[in-house]
Amino acid sequence: MRTREIVLARRPEGLARPSDFGLETRVLPPLPPGSVRVRALYWAADPGMRARLGGVRSYVEPVAIGGVVGGAAIAEVLESCSDSFAAGDLVTGLLGWREAGDFPEAALKKAPERGGMPIGALLGLLGTPGITAYFGIGEVGRVKAGDTVLVTSAAGAVGAAAGQIARLRGAHVVGLAGSDAKAEWLTTAAGFAQAVNYRKLDDLSTALGRLFPDGIDVLFDNVGNRMVDVVLPHMKLRGRIVVCGQTEDYSLAPERRHGIRNTSHVISQRLRIEGLLAYDHAPRYGEAIAHIRDWWQAGQLVAHEDIVEGFEQLPGAFCDLFAGQSFGRKLVAASPQGGPAQ
Ligand SMILES: NC(=O)c1ccc[n+]([C@@H]2O[C@H](COP(=O)([O-])OP(=O)(O)OC[C@H]3O[C@@H](n4cnc5c(N)ncnc54)[C@H](OP(=O)(O)O)[C@@H]3O)[C@@H](O)[C@H]2O)c1
């Protein structure tokens, strides 16, 4: 069987461009025992992948030049030499930017019951973004009723879920987003108390003073140092900063990233700044998925999907994330002729 793969042609400098990637065709050998052959139906475009393209090791290995770009996908099992999977099963996993491939059974997870949620939710609310939001708000932010919460990149897959889960815990939630349409969706569809298009603001700090006259209990940050630094002086006593993502900083060399200067507020307000890693909570994923599905079925949780079609669109979809050209979960769907129906 022939498959196509997207590989890293060169390490991006600054913002990634589609020309940093290459498309290759490969023939899959016969399926080895214990392995499963899958064909992808949807791929996720994740900002966090940018950190892996720079060649620096973090909690995951960087992508090698010429290597297939990593990333989460939803796939259908085509052929199985494993007792755990059968042809036709829907699976998820870090399958990479490939149309089809062979995986050891341990690399795949059977898709959870969706309970009426769209298939894309397996990479959204029911996948890493939803799970990250659930534990970021509950365990790291420890958001409780009456808290004031600020979410950055609030219309993104993680941010929108985080803000809504904070609202469901009784918090007053405000989102920052990069367009009027996103801000409107956050207040009308997603139930944020307020949302602001930060790109239109003359001064973010002044706006925060207006939005949070008594200060902020929890910052859920997806963007990086520049915004964290502006928010620090607005944090309340014993406030919590959930460091979830650094979308702005991923594309910058370490020496070009914004520093955080307002650290005196960490002392005066006894703040806790804590990194969040969804994988730390793997033993409790089932709990998160069950709550999220219940909230969605009760109409209390919504998601915005941004789907483009065609495997070869993946590099462009990924680069768009850093230009604010995505709204909610950015997914790439396999072309109908390239993959089975949903
Ligand atoms: N810690 C974990 O375990 C974990 C797990 C999953 C994801 N994450 C991280 O969580 C963050 C959010 O993920 P996501 O999938 O929901 O992506 P996302 O927030 O939808 O990312 C794309 C959005 O980021 C914003 N953005 C892009 N460049 C920006 C810049 N220079 N400054 C400010 N905002 C910028 C844009 O929104 P606007 O138009 O609103 O600016 C863009 O539409 C990412 O950093 C991701 O790496 C962490």
Side-chain angles (χ1 to χ4, degrees):
M1 177 181 178
R2 286 159 72 86
T3 182
R4 293 188 298 169
E5 300 175 334
I6 294 172
V7 299
L8 182 64
R10 61 170 164 259
R11 301 221 176 273
E13 285 180 19
L15 294 178
R17 288 173 296 181
S19 56
D20 295 326
F21 303 91
L23 188 63
E24 293 184 353
T25 300
R26 203 163 79 79
V27 176
L28 295 176
L31 190 62
S35 292
V36 182
R37 177 160 297 173
V38 303
R39 175 156 57 191
L41 305 176
Y42 290 86
W43 299 267
D46 284 306
M49 274 307 301
R50 176 64 185 83
R52 293 191 57 200
L53 304 180
V56 180
R57 197 187 187 288
S58 61
Y59 62 95
V60 278
E61 290 293 335
V63 178
I65 301 288
V68 177
V69 180
I74 304 166
E76 182 185 48
V77 173
L78 295 179
E79 187 185 342
S80 176
C81 292
S82 146
D83 293 338
S84 307
F85 296 93
D89 282 350
L90 204 56
V91 295
T92 59
L94 293 171
L95 310 181
W97 290 7
R98 47 170 65 84
E99 287 183 304
D102 298 339
F103 293 89
E105 58 186 22
L108 303 173
K109 270 193 305 205
K110 277 201 185 138
E113 276 299 318
R114 302 205 302 279
M117 296 177 76
I119 188 167
L122 295 171
L123 294 175
L125 282 174
L126 295 175
T128 303
I131 288 168
T132 302
Y134 180 88
F135 292 110
I137 290 296
E139 300 298 317
V140 183
R142 296 178 205 161
V143 172
K144 56 186 188 316
D147 277 350
T148 51
V149 176
L150 175 68
V151 182
T152 62
S153 196
V158 176
Q164 292 178 87
I165 293 170
R167 187 204 74 219
L168 288 163
R169 292 172 76 99
H172 174 88
V173 185
V174 176
L176 296 179
S179 75
D180 290 345
K182 290 180 183 182
E184 192 187 338
W185 179 81
L186 286 168
T187 51
T188 52
F192 280 51
Q194 293 181 81
V196 172
N197 176 357
Y198 68 89
R199 291 184 205 269
K200 276 187 163 176
L201 296 174
D202 290 331
D203 182 56
L204 176 58
S205 186
T206 306
L208 291 176
R210 208 173 47 240
L211 290 161
F212 295 97
D214 299 319
I216 298 168
D217 288 297
V218 177
L219 165 64
F220 189 103
D221 182 53
N222 291 304
V223 166
N225 288 357
R226 194 164 56 102
M227 281 197 187
V228 171
D229 201 32
V230 178
V231 176
L232 269 171
H234 297 273
M235 295 299 294
K236 276 165 93 165
L237 189 67
R238 306 221 177 269
R240 288 84 74 197
I241 295 181
V242 183
V243 184
C244 174
Q246 300 187 308
T247 301
E248 182 174 24
D249 295 336
Y250 295 147
S251 304
L252 300 171
E255 65 278 10
R256 297 201 52 220
R257 284 176 201 150
H258 296 271
I260 298 182
R261 284 183 286 271
N262 288 314
T263 46
S264 63
H265 296 270
V266 178
I267 301 172
S268 60
Q269 300 294 69
R270 285 71 127 194
L271 303 179
R272 178 164 56 80
I273 302 177
E274 187 173 337
L276 158 68
L277 202 51
Y279 305 127
D280 288 347
H281 304 276
R284 291 176 55 199
Y285 278 6
E287 167 199 322
I289 288 170
H291 274 112
I292 288 169
R293 202 170 36 216
D294 286 351
W295 284 324
W296 186 88
Q297 287 172 339
Q300 295 174 309
L301 197 51
V302 297
H304 199 286
E305 288 182 341
D306 182 349
I307 304 180
V308 293
E309 192 179 286
F311 175 66
E312 58 289 344
Q313 305 299 325
L314 252 170
F318 172 72
C319 296
D320 281 353
L321 293 173
F322 302 92
Q325 303 281 335
S326 58
F327 185 167
R329 188 49 157 156
K330 187 90 180 182
L331 299 174
V332 175
S335 308
Q337 68 273 25
Q342 293 181 18

